[in-house]
Amino acid sequence: MNLDFQQFIPSLPYILKGIGVTLQIVSLAGILGFALGIILSFFKISRFKFLGWIADAYTSVFRGTPLVLQLMLIYYGSPQLIGYKIDPSTAAILSFGLNSAAYISEIIRAGILAVDKGQSEAAMALGVPYRPAMMDIILPQAMKNILPALMNEFITLTKESAIVTVIGVTDVMRRAYIVGGEKFSYFEPILIAGLIYYIMVMILTLLGKGIERRMRRSD
Amino acid sequence: MIKVENLHKSFGRLEVLQGITTTIKDGEVVAIIGPSGSGKSTFLRCINLLETPTNGRILINGQDITDKSTNIMKVRQNVGMVFQHFHLFPHKTVLQNLTYAPVKVKGISKQEAEKNGLELLGKVGLSAKAHEYPNRLSGGQKQRVAIARALSMQPDVMLFDEPTSALDPEMVKEVLEVMKALAHTGMTMAIVTHEMGFAREVADRVLFLDGGVLVEDAGPKEFFSNPASERARDFLQKML
Ligand SMILES: Nc1ncnc2c1ncn2[C@@H]1O[C@H](COP(=O)(O)OP(=O)(O)OP(=O)(O)O)[C@@H](O)[C@H]1O
Ligand SMILES: [Mg+2]
């Protein structure tokens, strides 16, 4: 096996620039997924069965089909759906956000249900209405328990984001591929991309551990 | 004054309360005793509408709280409750546990809530713990904080559901002392308890429940020395 990383050094900055693209997609999708996930999780625990039904159907569809299919559906379908073609990174943020909302809503739902029922009873007994009790008493406790699972979802998102390559977003993966095409050698640049993803995931993992430790200190 | 008229409560087909009628006067301390599963907790939880009565009426200071138009939150603000397992908010400090509801639902200022909170902590002997988190406290301390938290809403009525049953024996006394002191302030109290000595000493009246029926409603002397029913006699024999 002969590896020649030397010839790829000039291309390194180009590949590294993809980190910004990847992080932008992942963080915006993460925020979208989290916000929508919270709403869906409220639907799932709602008294109104209809809302729960909607949220369950949503989750079922997004978990039951491939992410890459959802990505392509949104990207190539946008002209028919909304009348114009959205740009690839918007499609990526949308599809990843919508997809991870399905998973995050399940995580949050479980987290809320895992909070001792006595907590909401204590709030109720003090005359605290449902919404503030949820926001101030139940959710903060749920969040603490589900932080590791959320972090996991975020890490998965980071890795999975590599599939945006198929719709031409110039993320780390795509750039490595392009560089490989220029030099007629794919092995090294893709190895480089692999290393970059691995380092990003490790940093996220450490970050998650740090936050967890800090939260645990408060109790 | 709490007037309970023909109170029924069913869970599905299980009728847990089968028509309870009694009155708790202002400043009265009522002990509720009876075997496990007799409906004591359910009775208490109906009074602050944690359970919705299936039938009958409950009037607090003349207001029918079982009426559909009643503002449940307002009722609960006026009826404090202390649970067997405390249910303090673990992510809030002791003082924050006491200020949260008054600030949130009564809309009083944070400063005033903290002033009141510290005063209440003084009364339950826990001023030094104001800025601790609940899991740094012993069981007895937790329950005293829970009592102070319920009092922070300045309720007219206090409900206690086996407040000492989850405590180690050496901590029971400190909680009972706080409750006794509260009784002396003229607070209206309904206490589900297995502490017969406490009931006898502090209660003005004893309600004995069995199988969802109010079997006896008597003064403590009378009840403990000369229970009218066979069931109460059996129960007391097992307890004492
Ligand atoms: N939410 C509920 N759903 C169904 N059944 C219930 C519910 N709450 C209570 N019960 C039943 O109602 C009956 C009375 O319960 P309750 O908790 O009022 O008894 P208790 O006198 O407080 O007993 P203990 O001394 O064990 O606390 C029991 O048979 C119990 O299983
Ligand atoms: Mg009980």
PDB file of all heavy atoms in Angstrom, chain B residues 3-7 20 55-59 64 66:
ATOM      1  N   LYS B   3     -66.819  21.486  54.594  1.00  0.00           N
ATOM      2  CA  LYS B   3     -68.028  20.669  54.714  1.00  0.00           C
ATOM      3  C   LYS B   3     -68.005  19.612  53.622  1.00  0.00           C
ATOM      4  O   LYS B   3     -67.978  19.938  52.442  1.00  0.00           O
ATOM      5  CB  LYS B   3     -69.258  21.563  54.526  1.00  0.00           C
ATOM      6  CG  LYS B   3     -70.229  21.561  55.690  1.00  0.00           C
ATOM      7  CD  LYS B   3     -71.347  22.549  55.425  1.00  0.00           C
ATOM      8  CE  LYS B   3     -72.683  21.884  55.594  1.00  0.00           C
ATOM      9  NZ  LYS B   3     -73.138  21.870  56.990  1.00  0.00           N
ATOM     10  N   VAL B   4     -67.975  18.372  54.041  1.00  0.00           N
ATOM     11  CA  VAL B   4     -67.974  17.277  53.074  1.00  0.00           C
ATOM     12  C   VAL B   4     -69.337  16.602  53.111  1.00  0.00           C
ATOM     13  O   VAL B   4     -69.787  16.176  54.176  1.00  0.00           O
ATOM     14  CB  VAL B   4     -66.863  16.244  53.409  1.00  0.00           C
ATOM     15  CG1 VAL B   4     -66.874  15.099  52.414  1.00  0.00           C
ATOM     16  CG2 VAL B   4     -65.501  16.925  53.446  1.00  0.00           C
ATOM     17  N   GLU B   5     -69.994  16.568  51.973  1.00  0.00           N
ATOM     18  CA  GLU B   5     -71.354  16.015  51.923  1.00  0.00           C
ATOM     19  C   GLU B   5     -71.432  14.840  50.970  1.00  0.00           C
ATOM     20  O   GLU B   5     -71.259  14.986  49.760  1.00  0.00           O
ATOM     21  CB  GLU B   5     -72.341  17.111  51.462  1.00  0.00           C
ATOM     22  CG  GLU B   5     -72.472  18.261  52.440  1.00  0.00           C
ATOM     23  CD  GLU B   5     -73.322  19.393  51.867  1.00  0.00           C
ATOM     24  OE1 GLU B   5     -73.732  19.316  50.695  1.00  0.00           O
ATOM     25  OE2 GLU B   5     -73.546  20.364  52.609  1.00  0.00           O
ATOM     26  N   ASN B   6     -71.650  13.681  51.524  1.00  0.00           N
ATOM     27  CA  ASN B   6     -71.919  12.481  50.729  1.00  0.00           C
ATOM     28  C   ASN B   6     -70.887  12.280  49.615  1.00  0.00           C
ATOM     29  O   ASN B   6     -71.222  12.055  48.455  1.00  0.00           O
ATOM     30  CB  ASN B   6     -73.334  12.576  50.123  1.00  0.00           C
ATOM     31  CG  ASN B   6     -73.782  11.238  49.567  1.00  0.00           C
ATOM     32  OD1 ASN B   6     -73.324  10.190  50.030  1.00  0.00           O
ATOM     33  ND2 ASN B   6     -74.629  11.274  48.562  1.00  0.00           N
ATOM     34  N   LEU B   7     -69.613  12.358  50.004  1.00  0.00           N
ATOM     35  CA  LEU B   7     -68.529  12.287  49.025  1.00  0.00           C
ATOM     36  C   LEU B   7     -68.307  10.859  48.520  1.00  0.00           C
ATOM     37  O   LEU B   7     -68.079   9.938  49.301  1.00  0.00           O
ATOM     38  CB  LEU B   7     -67.239  12.816  49.664  1.00  0.00           C
ATOM     39  CG  LEU B   7     -65.956  12.721  48.842  1.00  0.00           C
ATOM     40  CD1 LEU B   7     -66.038  13.574  47.602  1.00  0.00           C
ATOM     41  CD2 LEU B   7     -64.753  13.119  49.693  1.00  0.00           C
ATOM     42  N   ILE B  20     -68.989   9.917  52.108  1.00  0.00           N
ATOM     43  CA  ILE B  20     -68.439  10.436  53.363  1.00  0.00           C
ATOM     44  C   ILE B  20     -69.089  11.780  53.669  1.00  0.00           C
ATOM     45  O   ILE B  20     -69.152  12.655  52.796  1.00  0.00           O
ATOM     46  CB  ILE B  20     -66.912  10.651  53.242  1.00  0.00           C
ATOM     47  CG1 ILE B  20     -66.237   9.386  52.708  1.00  0.00           C
ATOM     48  CG2 ILE B  20     -66.320  11.166  54.547  1.00  0.00           C
ATOM     49  CD1 ILE B  20     -65.594   8.523  53.716  1.00  0.00           C
ATOM     50  N   ASN B  55     -68.983  12.016  43.064  1.00  0.00           N
ATOM     51  CA  ASN B  55     -70.305  12.437  43.505  1.00  0.00           C
ATOM     52  C   ASN B  55     -70.203  13.137  44.849  1.00  0.00           C
ATOM     53  O   ASN B  55     -69.230  12.948  45.569  1.00  0.00           O
ATOM     54  CB  ASN B  55     -71.213  11.209  43.653  1.00  0.00           C
ATOM     55  CG  ASN B  55     -72.537  11.442  42.973  1.00  0.00           C
ATOM     56  OD1 ASN B  55     -73.109  12.534  43.079  1.00  0.00           O
ATOM     57  ND2 ASN B  55     -73.012  10.438  42.260  1.00  0.00           N
ATOM     58  N   GLY B  56     -71.218  13.915  45.187  1.00  0.00           N
ATOM     59  CA  GLY B  56     -71.203  14.607  46.466  1.00  0.00           C
ATOM     60  C   GLY B  56     -70.577  15.985  46.344  1.00  0.00           C
ATOM     61  O   GLY B  56     -70.163  16.405  45.264  1.00  0.00           O
ATOM     62  N   ARG B  57     -70.531  16.677  47.486  1.00  0.00           N
ATOM     63  CA  ARG B  57     -70.023  18.052  47.448  1.00  0.00           C
ATOM     64  C   ARG B  57     -68.978  18.269  48.535  1.00  0.00           C
ATOM     65  O   ARG B  57     -69.004  17.645  49.592  1.00  0.00           O
ATOM     66  CB  ARG B  57     -71.171  19.047  47.706  1.00  0.00           C
ATOM     67  CG  ARG B  57     -72.279  18.978  46.673  1.00  0.00           C
ATOM     68  CD  ARG B  57     -73.030  20.294  46.613  1.00  0.00           C
ATOM     69  NE  ARG B  57     -73.551  20.715  47.919  1.00  0.00           N
ATOM     70  CZ  ARG B  57     -73.993  21.947  48.165  1.00  0.00           C
ATOM     71  NH1 ARG B  57     -73.955  22.873  47.212  1.00  0.00           N
ATOM     72  NH2 ARG B  57     -74.467  22.265  49.358  1.00  0.00           N
ATOM     73  N   ILE B  58     -68.051  19.184  48.248  1.00  0.00           N
ATOM     74  CA  ILE B  58     -67.114  19.642  49.275  1.00  0.00           C
ATOM     75  C   ILE B  58     -67.175  21.167  49.274  1.00  0.00           C
ATOM     76  O   ILE B  58     -66.949  21.797  48.235  1.00  0.00           O
ATOM     77  CB  ILE B  58     -65.675  19.184  48.982  1.00  0.00           C
ATOM     78  CG1 ILE B  58     -65.590  17.657  48.918  1.00  0.00           C
ATOM     79  CG2 ILE B  58     -64.717  19.718  50.047  1.00  0.00           C
ATOM     80  CD1 ILE B  58     -64.235  17.127  48.473  1.00  0.00           C
ATOM     81  N   LEU B  59     -67.503  21.747  50.425  1.00  0.00           N
ATOM     82  CA  LEU B  59     -67.535  23.198  50.526  1.00  0.00           C
ATOM     83  C   LEU B  59     -66.402  23.666  51.423  1.00  0.00           C
ATOM     84  O   LEU B  59     -66.237  23.172  52.544  1.00  0.00           O
ATOM     85  CB  LEU B  59     -68.871  23.679  51.094  1.00  0.00           C
ATOM     86  CG  LEU B  59     -70.078  23.476  50.160  1.00  0.00           C
ATOM     87  CD1 LEU B  59     -70.814  22.200  50.528  1.00  0.00           C
ATOM     88  CD2 LEU B  59     -70.993  24.672  50.210  1.00  0.00           C
ATOM     89  N   ASP B  64     -68.443  25.839  46.972  1.00  0.00           N
ATOM     90  CA  ASP B  64     -68.507  24.452  46.514  1.00  0.00           C
ATOM     91  C   ASP B  64     -67.376  24.199  45.523  1.00  0.00           C
ATOM     92  O   ASP B  64     -67.431  24.626  44.373  1.00  0.00           O
ATOM     93  CB  ASP B  64     -69.866  24.187  45.851  1.00  0.00           C
ATOM     94  CG  ASP B  64     -69.988  22.741  45.390  1.00  0.00           C
ATOM     95  OD1 ASP B  64     -69.037  21.959  45.630  1.00  0.00           O
ATOM     96  OD2 ASP B  64     -71.031  22.407  44.805  1.00  0.00           O
ATOM     97  N   THR B  66     -66.492  21.461  44.214  1.00  0.00           N
ATOM     98  CA  THR B  66     -66.787  20.439  43.215  1.00  0.00           C
ATOM     99  C   THR B  66     -67.620  21.016  42.071  1.00  0.00           C
ATOM    100  O   THR B  66     -67.876  20.333  41.088  1.00  0.00           O
ATOM    101  CB  THR B  66     -67.554  19.248  43.841  1.00  0.00           C
ATOM    102  OG1 THR B  66     -68.740  19.750  44.485  1.00  0.00           O
ATOM    103  CG2 THR B  66     -66.704  18.541  44.862  1.00  0.00           C
TER     104      THR B  66
END
